[in-house]
Amino acid sequence: MADKFSTLKLSRSSLKLFQDCPRCFWLDLYHKIKRPPGFPYTLSSAVDFLVKQEFDKYRKQGTLPPVFARHGIQAKLYPGPELAQWRENFKGVQYFDEDLNAMLYGAVDDVLQFKDGSLAVVDYKSSGSREIRIYPDYQKQMEVYSWLLGRNGFQTYPEAYFVFYQVDKSGGGFQNALPFIEQLKSVKVDTSWVGDVFEQAVAVARRDTPPDLETPCEHCIYVQKAANFFEKPAKKRASKTKASESEEDIIFVE
């Protein structure tokens, strides 16, 4: 349970949940009531694991992976010892705000370092769609990571990079191999909103009562509708039970 005195630790995904629905966020932190989980992205996780292995080989060699070199990017994969923790789930890049007594953290896939020392976040994405799309959540994800790097004293590059691995469906069959098309996409990052949202999320997390439902949240709406539905049958069952009990007390004489 979150309170005014304990240190609060928020992940990048919990900050996303706060933006989606403050009420769901409060229930998650205050009562550990979580939204129903989606399907696990085991294939995406496997792709991430393999790409990290591949990119780490280039890192040791001091060379840039071809997907970056083809686009003329003058940088290198960040070789600093912090990267191991930055990539680790439940640790990641961390920033502790003493005034808020709260920490925000997020795990990155990779980081580029440019000649001026600035760092750019890199994220791996795999997709089976025909068209590659950068969703708003992807954009915010990179902005949170960039903000965290900045709060740790690093100069940050004004762009972040997605390395997409898109399934190539033109082969005419599976043949025990899943070919991918490798694509690089860049986005401009704006971190100006992150600090304010972090502060707002901490304030809501330490409330004693849940926030009002101000945004249309499909999860909250579902729960409300379901509750109304189940309350009525319960009353009907109770009335039927009383009726049946009274019937049992009647003696029929032939």
Side-chain angles (χ1 to χ4, degrees):
M1 178 181 291
D3 58 50
K4 297 179 180 179
F5 306 104
S6 62
T7 299
L8 195 63
K9 189 174 182 181
L10 300 181
S11 65
R12 195 279 311 176
S13 58
S14 64
L15 200 67
K16 174 188 178 302
L17 178 59
F18 170 74
Q19 291 184 288
D20 289 345
C21 177
R23 177 178 285 238
C24 287
F25 167 80
W26 184 88
L27 286 171
D28 187 304
L29 283 177
Y30 208 89
H31 290 294
K32 305 303 179 185
I33 300 174
K34 299 184 179 296
R35 285 179 171 181
F39 292 106
Y41 295 102
T42 52
L43 182 58
S44 296
S45 298
V47 172
D48 282 3
F49 176 79
L50 293 173
V51 176
K52 284 177 182 176
Q53 285 187 324
E54 180 179 338
F55 279 26
D56 283 347
K57 292 178 182 178
Y58 288 104
R59 195 187 322 273
K60 290 179 181 179
Q61 296 169 1
T63 58
L64 198 62
V67 67
F68 296 107
R70 286 195 300 266
H71 287 77
I73 294 174
Q74 301 296 315
K76 65 179 180 180
L77 292 171
Y78 182 69
E82 305 94 339
L83 184 63
Q85 177 180 308
W86 290 354
R87 283 173 153 182
E88 190 174 345
N89 289 332
F90 308 110
K91 288 187 177 181
V93 188
Q94 302 178 355
Y95 169 68
F96 177 73
D97 189 306
E98 293 184 358
D99 293 333
L100 297 176
N101 190 24
M103 175 187 291
L104 181 64
Y105 70 96
V108 301
D109 284 339
D110 221 319
V111 176
L112 284 177
Q113 184 176 36
F114 288 80
K115 291 184 177 181
D116 62 357
S118 62
L119 303 184
V121 180
V122 178
D123 197 74
Y124 317 138
K125 299 290 186 188
S126 53
S127 173
S129 302
R130 293 183 179 180
E131 182 180 354
I132 294 299
R133 292 182 59 187
I134 298 176
Y135 297 95
D137 283 341
Y138 292 180
Q139 177 83 32
K140 291 178 182 179
Q141 177 186 8
M142 303 301 257
E143 289 170 346
V144 170
Y145 294 155
S146 297
W147 185 85
L148 288 170
L149 287 173
R151 287 290 174 171
N152 276 270
F154 293 94
Q155 179 185 351
T156 56
Y157 197 68
E159 293 183 347
Y161 296 89
F162 293 100
V163 183
F164 280 96
Y165 292 89
Q166 183 183 22
V167 177
D168 185 0
K169 301 177 182 178
S170 63
F174 185 63
Q175 300 171 353
N176 289 331
L178 192 61
F180 287 92
I181 300 171
E182 189 180 52
Q183 296 188 50
L184 183 68
K185 301 285 185 180
S186 64
V187 292
K188 298 287 185 181
V189 290
D190 175 17
T191 62
S192 61
W193 61 271
V194 180
D196 290 339
V197 173
F198 177 36
E199 186 173 348
Q200 293 165 17
V202 171
V204 168
R206 291 200 166 113
R207 287 180 50 148
D208 294 329
T209 56
D212 295 332
L213 180 59
E214 297 178 352
T215 56
C217 171
E218 62 180 8
H219 297 275
C220 290
I221 293 172
Y222 170 81
V223 170
Q224 288 180 347
K225 288 184 176 180
N228 293 333
F229 174 80
F230 283 112
E231 283 175 2
K232 294 176 181 178
K235 293 178 180 178
K236 289 180 179 179
R237 284 194 297 270
S239 61
K240 286 182 178 180
T241 301
K242 290 181 180 178
S244 61
E245 289 174 351
S246 61
E247 289 176 356
E248 289 176 358
D249 293 336
I250 299 174
I251 300 175
F252 290 94
V253 179
E254 296 183 354

